[in-house]
Amino acid sequence: MTSPLPPWLARQDVEAIAFEERAAEQLTAAARRELVAVTRRVTAEYVRRAGGVDQLLPADQVPAFRAVLVAALAGLSIRVGDRLARIAAAGLALGLRHAAAVLGNIRLRLRPSPALRDVVAAVNERAAADLAAAVRAARTADLERHSDVMAAVGRANQAVHRVDATTRWVANRAVNEGIAAAADDAVAARLWVAERDACLTCLAYAGMVVGAGELFPAGQTFGDTSAVVGALAGPPAHPRCRCRLSPWLSARESADGVNLPDVLRREAQRTVLRGWSAHASEPARLRAADRVLRSHLLVPRSVADRARRAVAAGTFDT
Ligand SMILES: [Zn+2]
């Protein structure tokens, strides 16, 4: 699949994804290493007391082993608030730079929005709560088998998963806040750019344009229910959303003369009609294709015909 985006926008997309990936790696690397160390330590202890990972832990060994496991989990800590605040600041700066590619020189000093600051401020506390829940679970868990031990360590891993998802959200939210602020400041419209294989909600926003300071409407989707419950200034529309904003002047004013909103809407229709959208079952994707087929079609007839056959057959695998 080649990108339907103009090269400058495709480059920005790559840059923003790299920024997100780096941020997530930076903020979770230490915790992942600690978890690997804990896994090794408690597994060694289990083997010492049970005789092997495939052996049951004798009942009289459980209390002492549990003490070791609980102590190991209680020793974990994730404190990434300061670094996440720096990610937010760097994301805003990246967003301003991306907007400048369209709008020219931008002189803005930005602070993260309250929504962004709230998430950053809460990250340490939420991680601590996740880790505390893992410790509580380990105090009462069955510890008869090594798989029980791995499940207990896995609970702690949920804290890392949440930090990972939070970091990615903050990174993308900050980039988009930067772009939105720059567009508003220049009294330029904002264009929603979805991922090629975005979810059925985000594809419905692809190519949508709102004026300076305006919000994108809630409730749009090609699917059965929209992930967007309130009007919003821009992506992310949901956790792990990688949609972007771009300032939008007009096809006439844009450097390459491309009518990008039309291109993006057409590509979104194509994604739905081909069944490529992510995070939806095949029946849901077929219902979405059916909805698009009943709307004003922007795709070539061959794409629509193929989708009609898929809907009629009840599968995209024809
Ligand atoms: Zn999205």
Side-chain angles (χ1 to χ4, degrees), residues 65 113-114 164 192 202 207 245 294:
F65 175 77
S113 69
D164 182 273
W192 189 297
C202 287
L245 290 175
R294 292 161 199 277

Side-chain angles (χ1 to χ4, degrees), residues 12-13 16 19 88 90-96 98-99 110 116 168-184 190-193 216 233-237 241-247:
Q12 289 190 354
D13 203 40
F19 171 67
L92 289 174
L94 181 59
L96 288 178
H98 282 177
L110 286 184
L116 198 45
R168 291 172 190 275
W169 186 88
V170 164
N172 286 324
R173 168 84 186 209
V175 170
N176 284 313
E177 280 190 9
I179 294 169
D184 286 354
R190 306 192 303 288
L191 169 66
W192 189 297
V193 182
F216 291 91
C241 170
R242 278 178 165 172
C243 294
R244 324 242 161 253
L245 290 175
S246 191

